[in-house]
Amino acid sequence: MLSSLLHLHVGAVMSFFSFGQSAEIDIVLNDAETKKKVEHKTEDGKKDKYFLFYDGETVSGKVNVTLKNPGKRLEHQGIKIEFIGQIELYYDRGNHHEFVSLVKDLARPGELTQSQTFDFEFTHVEKPYESYTGQNVKLRYFLRATISRRLNDISKEMDIVVHTLSTYPELNSSIKMEVGIEDCLHIEFEYNKSKYHLKDVIVGKIYFLLVRIKIKHMEIDIIKRETTGTGPNVYHENDTIAKYEIMDGAPVRGESIPIRLFLAGYEMTPTMRDINKKFSVRYYLNLVLIDEEERRYFKQQEITLWRKGDIVRKSMSHQAAIASQRFEGSSNNEKAVAQNKEDSN
Amino acid sequence: MKTKSADAAIADTRRLFPKPQNLSDAYGPPSNFLEIDVGNPETVGVGRSRFTTYEIRLKTNLPIFKLKESCVRRRYSDFEWLRSELERESKVVVPPLPGKALIRQLPFRGDDGIFDDSFIEERRQGLELFLNKVAGHPLAQNERCLHMFLQEEAVDKNYTPSKIRQA
């Protein structure tokens, strides 16, 4: 009976009875003292701090293996460390889509007689996408050190956060459009750019050409749309990140209402398009007019958000400085460009 | 618009240049004037064939209404007709009417039932609310039934439903 218990609950029973030897793993980065940490949301909504990396930066450090029972030996089938970048869809937890998978062997199968430290270095690791924790999908990067054993492995994970940086786009035309309801409401809206960085300001105006309804107020909402799945199983999750009233009262023909919306105050990510063909995160400006009878008239327009690199500070590691200069090309093609009527000259 | 240097530390938040507004647009009457009052309830008839009519006064400068001022009399069942026409013909989510008050129509009541002053006033308010909501709806304004209800002498329940198109 004892043997069947062991068979079913190997891990727990073994450590409870101190069968054999066990160990604790600790992963420590080489520049842990100086490396910048950023806040990142976890799946349950809490915020934690993680080390920040950029594309191309080397990830190096030490794996400390500490034996729990100092006298006994630890037999193992090999010790390794992996650097993994993966996408996890919440409705399909079993399948992790790994887009980066690097491994370094730290020790061949054998035994450890005492606690030991192993150095590792993943040189100039490609990190093509930004870390993202969303409503239905998560993209994360982590280090995982594993001691392989016959019955149960011992492993430790350490998450890191990756930001993708871009430079000022060469082409950044304004968005200008005339929309309305025939004979009832005609407006012309204009936003100064189509691509905004995360600490940018949206400057624009709404010009009223025809007002035959009784408008009570007007607001601009920022909507984040997370799209997961493909083909017939596409799912959009919309989240209104911001609501900003820009007009209170009834406008008349010829009136211009200014818009000045500071983005730094809102928690947003860069626009992510078709990441590894698994998900997208896009942002839309929704201009909403509400009339006296609470009827809503709205016009949605996509904007591209991008992350600007911070000014290089002395405390930033040399490698991070180089990495932050390896900019991703600014977004090309989008619909926003095609919808423009005006040059920004 | 001036192009900004790529490394500007502070974003340019100056307003976009507005088109100048015509003074007569700025100070003239607004183009969205529409006022509907439901009032002057009158109970006509005798005995069991009595019913109450309400006066509907409309004032507007919206071009979609043929008459800029109109005054007609309608009873509760006319409102019910309008509501069901709009629900069927248009995509509008039509607001509810004030209650039908069937209980008030039962005999042996202590008060005047549906001809009670306070009930008529309550109903009048509900009908006014209803009409203002409906008449201001851009989609409802395209329906023939609404214009017939608001501005024609009588409601022809055998009419042909259609959409109004602006010239």
Side-chain angles (χ1 to χ4, degrees):
Chain A
M1 192 191 87
L2 190 62
S3 55
S4 60
L5 263 177
L6 272 173
H7 183 64
L8 286 171
H9 305 285
V10 167
V13 172
M14 283 192 96
S15 48
F16 181 68
F17 285 111
S18 288
F19 265 51
Q21 172 63 289
S22 191
E24 259 173 30
I25 307 177
D26 198 22
I27 305 173
V28 181
L29 295 177
N30 281 341
D31 42 8
E33 302 285 303
T34 51
K35 201 140 189 50
K36 188 170 168 198
K37 279 189 149 182
V38 286
E39 271 190 4
H40 192 78
K41 219 172 33 158
T42 59
E43 210 178 305
D44 45 14
K46 283 191 298 208
K47 281 189 150 187
D48 266 332
K49 286 198 151 204
Y50 302 92
F51 286 109
L52 175 64
F53 282 86
Y54 297 101
D55 187 17
E57 263 194 285
T58 290
V59 183
S60 63
K62 300 185 193 313
V63 176
N64 298 325
V65 178
T66 312
L67 297 180
K68 281 204 179 137
N69 301 317
K72 297 214 178 105
R73 292 186 295 209
L74 178 74
E75 280 181 25
H76 64 86
Q77 252 68 47
I79 305 180
K80 66 180 178 192
I81 184 161
E82 298 168 279
F83 180 84
I84 302 202
Q86 76 180 25
I87 296 171
E88 189 183 310
L89 292 157
Y90 296 172
Y91 59 77
D92 189 21
R93 296 272 190 181
N95 292 324
H96 293 168
H97 305 273
E98 290 180 5
F99 55 88
V100 173
S101 180
L102 304 171
V103 63
K104 293 267 189 245
D105 284 319
L106 299 176
R108 283 210 298 252
E111 55 185 37
L112 289 180
T113 47
Q114 57 184 15
S115 301
Q116 206 170 329
T117 293
F118 303 90
D119 287 300
F120 71 88
E121 179 176 300
F122 294 101
T123 322
H124 298 317
V125 187
E126 206 184 305
K127 305 175 203 75
Y129 311 119
E130 175 149 326
S131 296
Y132 174 74
T133 302
Q135 297 280 78
N136 299 298
V137 61
K138 186 159 71 165
L139 188 155
R140 60 188 268 246
Y141 294 85
F142 58 98
L143 287 161
R144 180 168 62 207
T146 309
I147 302 174
S148 302
R149 298 203 294 177
R150 230 165 11 99
L151 287 165
N152 63 328
D153 294 345
I154 306 171
S155 73
K156 182 82 194 282
E157 284 184 4
M158 185 180 110
D159 272 56
I160 59 154
V161 163
V162 171
H163 281 175
T164 52
L165 300 177
S166 305
T167 41
Y168 277 94
E170 260 170 46
L171 188 65
N172 196 357
S173 21
S174 62
I175 301 172
K176 192 166 172 176
M177 237 185 264
E178 209 180 286
V179 293
I181 300 174
E182 183 104 15
D183 302 318
C184 275
L185 174 68
H186 290 182
I187 59 166
E188 185 191 75
F189 69 87
E190 184 178 347
Y191 306 129
N192 62 335
K193 303 183 209 177
S194 36
K195 299 168 196 162
Y196 292 94
H197 62 80
L198 296 179
K199 309 255 187 285
D200 216 332
V201 188
I202 298 177
V203 174
K205 72 178 202 289
I206 311 293
Y207 177 74
F208 288 89
L209 292 150
L210 179 70
V211 190
R212 293 215 181 111
I213 54 171
K214 294 179 189 174
I215 297 173
K216 199 164 62 155
H217 68 98
M218 178 165 65
E219 65 184 43
I220 277 214
D221 300 345
I222 302 179
I223 298 178
K224 169 181 162 189
R225 180 175 300 161
E226 181 191 281
T227 303
T228 47
T230 50
N233 298 324
V234 169
Y235 180 69
H236 301 292
E237 179 98 37
N238 291 328
D239 186 22
T240 302
I241 303 235
K243 279 187 188 222
Y244 190 72
E245 187 177 272
I246 54 174
M247 177 187 82
D248 184 20
V252 292
R253 173 170 49 212
E255 228 163 323
S256 286
I257 303 299
I259 298 168
R260 186 184 293 157
L261 180 50
F262 290 84
L263 296 179
Y266 305 106
E267 253 175 54
M268 299 187 297
T269 68
T271 293
M272 300 172 84
R273 284 201 177 86
D274 207 25
I275 299 301
N276 208 232
K277 300 203 199 309
K278 295 271 173 291
F279 72 94
S280 295
V281 181
R282 301 166 91 129
Y283 291 87
Y284 301 83
L285 288 181
N286 199 24
L287 181 70
V288 187
L289 293 100
I290 297 126
D291 74 11
E292 301 250 321
E293 303 298 341
E294 302 298 326
R295 284 179 286 259
R296 299 163 68 90
Y297 308 78
F298 63 89
K299 173 71 184 135
Q300 226 176 68
Q301 193 63 39
E302 183 175 1
I303 52 168
T304 301
L305 294 183
W306 55 279
R307 187 183 291 278
K308 189 162 71 120
D310 287 335
I311 300 162
V312 176
R313 282 182 282 260
K314 284 210 188 111
S315 61
M316 208 183 196
S317 77
H318 181 58
Q319 282 180 348
I322 294 174
S324 73
Q325 280 159 42
R326 282 175 49 172
F327 298 129
E328 253 182 67
S330 60
S331 328
N332 26 31
N333 56 348
E334 39 256 282
K335 277 193 300 185
V337 173
Q339 276 166 345
N340 281 317
K341 285 184 178 183
E342 201 184 70
D343 240 0
S344 60
N345 282 332
Chain B
M1 270 172 64
K2 288 195 192 144
T3 43
K4 169 163 63 77
S5 84
D7 289 308
I10 303 167
D12 185 359
T13 59
R14 288 174 299 178
R15 286 190 184 185
L16 300 182
F17 187 73
K19 289 186 236 226
Q21 184 180 29
N22 199 313
L23 283 183
S24 61
D25 282 339
Y27 294 105
S31 327
N32 60 3
F33 179 63
L34 172 65
E35 249 176 40
I36 299 181
D37 294 306
V38 175
N40 269 335
E42 262 174 29
T43 304
V44 294
V46 285
R48 289 216 280 177
S49 62
R50 278 181 301 169
F51 60 92
T52 310
T53 62
Y54 303 83
E55 186 180 80
I56 300 173
R57 283 186 177 276
L58 183 147
K59 293 201 183 84
T60 186
N61 65 2
L62 297 182
I64 196 142
F65 289 102
K66 264 209 300 213
L67 301 175
K68 299 310 161 207
E69 274 187 34
S70 64
C71 181
V72 296
R73 279 206 160 264
R74 298 283 181 254
R75 56 184 293 186
Y76 184 82
S77 56
D78 293 328
F79 282 83
E80 285 185 307
W81 170 89
L82 174 65
R83 187 170 192 281
S84 76
E85 288 300 299
L86 285 174
E87 273 205 325
R88 196 189 64 237
E89 293 296 316
S90 78
K91 298 200 189 105
V92 175
V93 174
V94 191
L97 280 171
K100 215 167 148 47
L102 288 168
I103 294 200
R104 281 188 174 261
Q105 292 178 48
L106 294 173
F108 309 123
R109 287 183 64 94
D111 57 19
D112 292 322
I114 56 169
F115 303 107
D116 193 50
D117 283 335
S118 65
F119 169 72
I120 287 180
E121 172 55 23
E122 209 182 281
R123 180 173 267 193
R124 183 204 69 75
Q125 285 175 12
L127 294 175
E128 194 173 73
L129 223 62
F130 169 82
L131 268 191
N132 275 295
K133 266 210 171 83
V134 161
H137 196 304
L139 290 181
Q141 282 171 2
N142 286 334
E143 296 297 327
R144 176 97 191 78
C145 57
L146 179 71
H147 292 271
M148 182 164 71
F149 179 94
L150 289 173
Q151 303 204 307
E152 282 180 35
E153 193 58 40
V155 169
D156 175 14
K157 301 204 169 133
N158 295 319
Y159 84 121
T160 316
S162 63
K163 305 270 188 270
I164 308 267
R165 307 211 74 222
Q166 285 266 57

